[in-house]
Amino acid sequence: MFRQLNDFEASWIQESEATLRILRALTDASLRQAVTPQDRTLGRMAWHLVESIPEMMQRTGLALGGPPADAPVPAVAATIADVYAGVSASLLANVKRSWTDATLEAEDDMYGEKWPRGRTLAVLINHQTHHRAQMT
């Protein structure tokens, strides 16, 4: 859980850069590759990372740009990486502009539970790291 915005900022920059490196390594052809026979394709998983950021953050009251949850997976890998870069930058800018260290303690309804915003940011990073690892 994050208790200071500076700690989140440092972690988000590092983690989003790592995610962007993976997304930029995808090719249009690789988007159709399944991670496992029972799993999502690389494209679906990559797009899920993009969609998850605004979806989670809207639950905290932050309105970020980005695709709606039901948007189709782009067929062009560079599009996924570019949209991710924009959403990632928007998240950091909005958090820095709208929140303080004290707001990280505010609780929001997250999937039927009350989470402090500092936890939500940590879960967002863990979620991203989890899927990034699946993709590699």
Side-chain angles (χ1 to χ4, degrees):
M1 181 168 136
F2 292 101
R3 298 196 188 288
Q4 295 184 341
L5 288 177
N6 288 339
D7 293 337
F8 168 70
E9 180 179 8
S11 292
W12 185 252
I13 289 169
Q14 179 180 356
E15 293 297 325
S16 63
E17 286 174 354
T19 299
L20 197 52
R21 280 193 299 275
I22 298 299
L23 296 179
R24 294 226 186 274
L26 296 174
T27 65
D28 297 350
S30 73
L31 296 180
R32 295 183 297 279
Q33 179 183 330
V35 176
T36 69
Q38 301 81 26
D39 214 337
R40 300 171 179 156
T41 63
L42 287 173
R44 179 69 240 152
M45 198 169 291
W47 196 237
H48 171 66
L49 288 175
V50 174
E51 294 172 321
S52 296
I53 297 170
E55 187 276 326
M56 282 185 80
M57 291 301 101
Q58 62 90 19
R59 294 170 183 271
T60 70
L62 284 182
L64 307 179
D70 58 352
V73 176
V76 177
T79 300
I80 295 173
D82 291 344
V83 175
Y84 173 84
V87 169
S88 174
S90 177
L91 167 65
L92 186 56
N94 275 279
V95 165
K96 287 172 61 174
R97 181 178 59 247
S98 304
W99 292 1
T100 65
D101 290 347
T103 359
L104 295 176
E105 299 293 329
E107 292 186 342
D108 300 295
D109 180 19
M110 296 297 286
Y111 313 104
E113 299 178 2
K114 292 289 186 184
W115 293 1
R117 290 178 178 169
R119 178 180 178 204
T120 299
L121 294 174
V123 168
L124 182 64
I125 287 176
N126 291 339
H127 173 260
Q128 182 171 258
T129 303
H130 163 74
H131 288 306
R132 192 172 68 226
Q134 287 181 308
M135 290 175 16
T136 59

